[in-house]
Amino acid sequence: MELYQATTTAPVNIAVIKYWGKRDAKLNLPTNSSLSVTLSQDDLRALTTASCSPTFTEDRLWLNGVEESVATSSRLTACIDNLRQLRAELEQENPSAPRLSTFKLHICSENNFPTAAGLASSAAGFAALVRAIADLYQLPQSAKDLSRIARQGSGSACRSLMGGYVSWEMGEADDGNDSLAEQVAPQSHWPEMRAAVLVVSAERKTVPSTAGMQATVATSALFRHRADVVVPERMSAMKRAIKEKDFEAFADLTMKDSNQFHAVCLDTSPPIFYLNDTSRACIRFVEELNRSAGKVIAAYTYDAGPNCVIYYTVENEEIVLGALKKCLANIDGWRERDAALAASLPEGFDSRTLDAVSQGITRLILTQVGGDPVSIAQDKGLIGQDGLPKSLKGH
Amino acid sequence: MELYQATTTAPVNIAVIKYWGKRDAKLNLPTNSSLSVTLSQDDLRALTTASCSPTFTEDRLWLNGVEESVATSSRLTACIDNLRQLRAELEQENPSAPRLSTFKLHICSENNFPTAAGLASSAAGFAALVRAIADLYQLPQSAKDLSRIARQGSGSACRSLMGGYVSWEMGEADDGNDSLAEQVAPQSHWPEMRAAVLVVSAERKTVPSTAGMQATVATSALFRHRADVVVPERMSAMKRAIKEKDFEAFADLTMKDSNQFHAVCLDTSPPIFYLNDTSRACIRFVEELNRSAGKVIAAYTYDAGPNCVIYYTVENEEIVLGALKKCLANIDGWRERDAALAASLPEGFDSRTLDAVSQGITRLILTQVGGDPVSIAQDKGLIGQDGLPKSLKGH
């Protein structure tokens, strides 16, 4: 059968200046700019195959083995419609190009980490979907151009189309034309950045982000001051910290902005809580690590969930992982090369936080800053020659 | 022996618009006005006897049975010096008055609730101390005048010199002359107000308020907006709600301001946490109660600690206490008259919050809006004719 396909992986990104609040809920236009670190796809990624064929009768999507309805998701159809439109323009300019824009799509996507656990799975998922369809359609648009489309699927997805250190500039236009992701610096500029994800719970989050952020915009008396005054200053300071590879400034801004994001959640009516007692113990752990080490060597940040992400650089890996080993030696996630690492704490570390961290964390993911989405060879794709997910074979 | 003495009780107050931040740490001048409900001294009170005698050789203070140093507490000496000065002026105008201002003081004070558990014990304590010495000295100054002095002992103590609904107007003068408490409405204006204190833990708080609020002032990027813009609006709205006995408006402002106070704590570097998972469960409990009751019948508020105070009015007592009984029937604090009350939840109440409340709360205090400090007969005082605490007899 006549079948076209393309497969890509896309990364997770964890923001250090947080996106929280939409000025346009349909177009996913934010109330403030944001900035994130793209994480390595070796450890966390969405893998997506997009295929099309004149024999397909409807757009279909399989997500982690389960078929989801495409037609009822306005976010999905917005992305697909935009990409089809770009393909149709390309076909108009190049009459010999196959008429892919007229074919239905079969899309299959798999994450290698739990969905909706506050790990930005929708960001990686929508970035992979947009990248895979754009590759299938052989679109000439840049990652920045495509970020306009991915943004409509999930706001923070726009930042997952690029590796390294990525900003999402909020823009001003009503149609969202200038609300785009930009690479602040590639992975190669500051490859020493490491990230440890401390998974508190893989349960689904209590308040979905979209509902939460709109409640904050509507009811928090502190929110506008954050969006209008605080974040613009922090965006400039964070870009400077990244350009100068100034970890102390990076860490200070990262921790402050995570706390402020959760502060405006708490200032929402009714209040939104993503941090729990374990999250707070992890904050104390990182603070105590910095204090006892005598310098800022680690920064915590929390998205819309209780999981803790700790950023640090490779030069302090032994200290940071040594301290984590002191309370998390028995959980999953340590790599072979960490076996030799001794559990140890800096002198003077107040060990009172260790028990709460130890009891509340269920899994560790050790990763680092990563690169752009990666094209995958067709034989490693998720859709077979029959146009259906390979994982469904035999069912 | 020549011994003069006076005894008073003073109440606890629980703020509904929170005091957090000093513009002058020595004079305890706040960065924003605040407003509280004075609670009944039948349930929560400091009891203080002030005595003086020409035979005393130094100022001494016994607090809950333990002697504390007066000379090393600048807050205590500030209060005592101010009151002595007023007595000296009175003696100058009235030469026949005994020269009490030249005698040393013995002061004995006892709370009927755990100290430093986030129950504003210092507010009641300093208010009782100032009121007792003012009574001993037979000072003509009003409660409002005396609030200037009590404020220097502990900021929120100024609000415990009056019953009912009390504001602390921040003032503008550098010397604090106009930073005073005022009665917004007496207890008799709205006597239907009830309060349930859910004690999460009687441990001392992790971050003392004075250190905490100064860290917030110094580091929170949201704090100034709260102090300068949000609180002034809320003060007006809260006074209106009290004057109109509009519980729904009172409750809405109370919950919002509690959340915002804890939000600016979280926006502090390093972040300050007073709420824990039990506190958050209590918030969810109150929200669910209001939702299922179909109207706002209860309001939560939290000071610098995890304990939950729930305000409600007598007309909804059966619903509020019935719901509390559902999860707290077996803890201390229920009154004889509550024995007949059936544990019950409004129809449609989502009972998922009940377990966490039930497991985390250790004690209940049921009380209500109360009156001014109360003078106590001399024979019920805490200091004997020998000028020493009666409780020390036999030691």
Side-chain angles (χ1 to χ4, degrees):
Chain A
M1 77 189 252
E2 185 184 356
L3 180 74
Y4 302 84
Q5 62 169 282
T7 298
T8 188
T9 62
V12 164
N13 72 76
I14 300 286
V16 290
I17 303 292
K18 301 293 188 189
Y19 158 49
W20 195 251
K22 303 177 201 260
R23 64 180 203 274
D24 183 314
K26 186 173 167 293
L27 292 172
N28 271 348
L29 301 180
T31 49
N32 58 258
S33 298
S34 54
L35 200 152
S36 55
V37 179
T38 294
L39 300 183
S40 170
Q41 293 160 80
D42 292 347
D43 304 304
L44 296 166
R45 52 109 192 108
L47 169 65
T48 300
T49 298
S51 66
C52 65
S53 165
T55 65
F56 292 169
T57 56
E58 57 176 340
D59 290 333
R60 298 176 72 179
L61 170 74
W62 292 265
L63 188 57
N64 293 319
V66 178
E67 184 164 8
E68 308 271 337
S69 159
V70 173
T72 59
S73 165
S74 57
R75 303 215 164 277
L76 266 176
T77 52
C79 290
I80 292 172
D81 290 351
N82 270 276
L83 292 158
R84 264 208 183 102
Q85 176 62 31
L86 293 176
R87 173 70 191 181
E89 287 165 16
L90 182 150
E91 291 165 5
Q92 215 155 20
E93 286 163 25
N94 178 2
S96 70
R99 290 298 184 260
L100 304 189
S101 69
T102 65
F103 303 164
K104 298 296 180 187
L105 289 158
H106 282 188
I107 304 158
C108 184
S109 186
E110 283 176 6
N111 298 329
N112 63 348
F113 55 91
T115 301
L119 270 174
S121 60
S122 66
F126 271 105
L129 177 134
V130 168
R131 184 73 263 174
I133 300 176
D135 289 352
L136 171 70
Y137 287 170
Q138 301 191 298
L139 298 180
Q141 276 75 17
S142 68
K144 183 172 175 178
D145 284 331
L146 294 175
S147 77
R148 186 184 290 115
I149 297 173
R151 187 202 73 220
Q152 295 173 58
S154 167
S156 53
C158 71
R159 296 186 312 242
S160 273
L161 284 168
M162 299 166 200
Y165 302 83
V166 183
S167 72
W168 173 11
E169 303 296 331
M170 63 177 288
E172 291 178 355
D174 284 343
D175 67 358
N177 208 40
D178 56 355
S179 188
L180 301 173
E182 271 178 24
Q183 195 177 55
V184 174
Q187 176 191 12
S188 58
H189 166 73
W190 197 6
E192 294 86 0
M193 185 67 73
R194 297 291 176 272
V197 184
L198 280 60
V199 180
V200 171
S201 151
E203 286 170 42
R204 285 187 165 261
K205 33 182 152 156
T206 49
V207 180
S209 325
T210 295
M213 61 177 83
Q214 291 318 85
T216 300
V217 173
T219 66
S220 167
L222 300 176
F223 173 74
R224 283 252 56 102
H225 186 73
R226 162 172 170 74
D228 295 347
V229 179
V230 180
V231 172
E233 289 169 13
R234 287 188 179 163
M235 283 294 291
S236 306
M238 184 59 91
K239 288 177 187 174
R240 202 179 318 124
I242 291 167
K243 279 177 181 149
E244 296 171 358
K245 299 193 266 187
D246 176 350
F247 184 79
E248 196 143 342
F250 171 90
D252 182 57
L253 288 161
T254 295
M255 293 187 280
K256 279 188 165 142
D257 207 67
S258 173
N259 290 330
Q260 187 169 94
F261 153 48
H262 294 282
V264 299
C265 286
L266 177 47
D267 191 49
T268 301
S269 296
I272 301 167
F273 302 110
Y274 291 121
L275 305 180
N276 64 19
D277 284 351
T278 300
S279 314
R280 276 192 298 286
C282 294
I283 287 177
R284 295 278 173 252
F285 173 89
V286 171
E287 273 169 14
E288 188 55 23
L289 187 60
N290 289 333
R291 196 198 56 72
S292 61
K295 58 185 173 173
V296 179
I297 59 171
Y300 54 80
T301 188
Y302 294 81
D303 279 348
N307 294 339
C308 180
V309 176
I310 300 177
Y311 283 118
Y312 57 98
T313 58
V314 70
E315 63 171 322
N316 294 306
E317 186 158 63
E318 213 172 299
I319 309 176
V320 175
L321 294 190
L324 285 175
K325 216 167 188 185
K326 201 79 186 176
C327 46
L328 300 177
N330 297 320
I331 65 167
D332 283 345
W334 294 96
R335 302 157 302 187
E336 266 182 51
R337 67 172 181 274
D338 301 318
L341 186 84
S344 74
L345 294 168
E347 205 175 304
F349 188 103
D350 180 340
S351 59
R352 280 179 297 182
T353 59
L354 296 181
D355 276 355
V357 173
S358 178
Q359 286 157 23
I361 299 296
T362 59
R363 187 184 161 190
L364 181 67
I365 300 167
L366 295 174
T367 184
Q368 62 189 74
V369 59
D372 292 340
V374 176
S375 282
I376 302 293
Q378 184 152 339
D379 63 322
K380 300 263 174 62
L382 298 172
I383 289 179
Q385 282 306 314
D386 60 355
L388 291 170
K390 292 175 181 171
S391 61
L392 297 181
K393 291 293 175 304
H395 286 259
Chain B
M1 75 188 256
E2 188 184 354
L3 180 74
Y4 301 84
Q5 62 170 283
T7 299
T8 189
T9 63
V12 164
N13 71 75
I14 299 287
V16 290
I17 303 291
K18 301 293 188 190
Y19 159 49
W20 195 252
K22 303 178 200 259
R23 64 179 202 276
D24 182 314
K26 184 172 168 295
L27 292 171
N28 271 347
L29 300 180
T31 48
N32 58 257
S33 298
S34 54
L35 201 152
S36 55
V37 179
T38 294
L39 300 183
S40 171
Q41 293 160 81
D42 293 347
D43 304 304
L44 296 167
R45 52 112 191 108
L47 169 64
T48 301
T49 298
S51 65
C52 64
S53 165
T55 67
F56 292 168
T57 56
E58 56 176 340
D59 291 333
R60 299 176 70 181
L61 170 72
W62 292 264
L63 187 57
N64 294 319
V66 177
E67 185 163 7
E68 308 270 339
S69 160
V70 173
T72 58
S73 165
S74 57
R75 303 216 163 277
L76 265 176
T77 52
C79 290
I80 291 173
D81 290 351
N82 269 278
L83 291 158
R84 264 207 184 102
Q85 176 62 29
L86 293 177
R87 173 68 190 183
E89 287 165 17
L90 183 151
E91 290 166 7
Q92 212 155 21
E93 284 165 25
N94 179 3
S96 70
R99 291 298 184 258
L100 304 190
S101 70
T102 66
F103 304 164
K104 297 295 180 189
L105 289 158
H106 283 187
I107 304 158
C108 184
S109 186
E110 284 176 5
N111 298 329
N112 65 348
F113 55 91
T115 302
L119 269 174
S121 60
S122 66
F126 271 104
L129 178 135
V130 168
R131 184 73 263 173
I133 300 176
D135 289 351
L136 170 69
Y137 287 169
Q138 301 191 300
L139 298 181
Q141 276 75 16
S142 68
K144 183 173 175 175
D145 284 331
L146 293 175
S147 76
R148 186 183 291 115
I149 298 173
R151 187 202 73 222
Q152 295 173 59
S154 167
S156 52
C158 71
R159 296 186 313 240
S160 272
L161 285 167
M162 300 166 198
Y165 303 83
V166 183
S167 70
W168 172 12
E169 304 296 332
M170 63 177 286
E172 291 177 358
D174 284 343
D175 67 358
N177 208 38
D178 56 354
S179 188
L180 302 171
E182 271 178 23
Q183 195 176 57
V184 174
Q187 174 191 15
S188 60
H189 165 73
W190 199 6
E192 295 86 359
M193 186 66 74
R194 297 292 177 272
V197 184
L198 281 59
V199 180
V200 171
S201 152
E203 287 170 41
R204 283 184 169 263
K205 31 180 152 155
T206 48
V207 180
S209 325
T210 295
M213 61 177 81
Q214 291 318 85
T216 301
V217 172
T219 65
S220 167
L222 300 176
F223 173 74
R224 283 251 58 102
H225 186 74
R226 161 171 171 76
D228 295 347
V229 179
V230 181
V231 172
E233 288 169 15
R234 287 189 179 163
M235 283 295 291
S236 307
M238 184 60 92
K239 288 177 187 173
R240 203 180 316 125
I242 290 167
K243 278 174 183 153
E244 294 171 359
K245 299 193 267 188
D246 176 350
F247 183 79
E248 196 142 343
F250 171 92
D252 182 56
L253 288 161
T254 294
M255 294 187 281
K256 280 188 165 141
D257 207 66
S258 173
N259 290 331
Q260 187 169 93
F261 153 48
H262 293 282
V264 298
C265 286
L266 177 47
D267 191 48
T268 301
S269 298
I272 301 167
F273 301 110
Y274 291 121
L275 306 179
N276 63 19
D277 284 353
T278 300
S279 315
R280 277 193 297 286
C282 294
I283 288 177
R284 295 277 172 252
F285 174 89
V286 171
E287 273 168 15
E288 188 54 23
L289 188 60
N290 289 334
R291 197 200 55 76
S292 60
K295 56 185 174 176
V296 179
I297 61 171
Y300 55 80
T301 188
Y302 295 80
D303 280 348
N307 294 339
C308 180
V309 176
I310 300 176
Y311 284 117
Y312 58 98
T313 58
V314 69
E315 64 170 321
N316 294 308
E317 186 158 63
E318 214 172 300
I319 308 176
V320 175
L321 295 189
L324 285 175
K325 216 167 189 187
K326 202 82 186 174
C327 44
L328 300 177
N330 297 320
I331 64 168
D332 283 348
W334 293 97
R335 303 157 302 188
E336 266 182 52
R337 69 172 180 276
D338 302 317
L341 186 83
S344 73
L345 295 168
E347 204 174 303
F349 188 102
D350 180 341
S351 58
R352 279 178 298 181
T353 60
L354 296 181
D355 278 354
V357 174
S358 178
Q359 287 157 21
I361 300 297
T362 60
R363 187 182 162 192
L364 181 68
I365 299 167
L366 295 173
T367 184
Q368 61 190 74
V369 61
D372 292 341
V374 176
S375 282
I376 302 294
Q378 185 151 339
D379 64 321
K380 300 265 174 61
L382 297 173
I383 289 179
Q385 283 304 313
D386 59 357
L388 292 171
K390 293 175 180 171
S391 61
L392 297 181
K393 290 293 176 304
H395 287 260

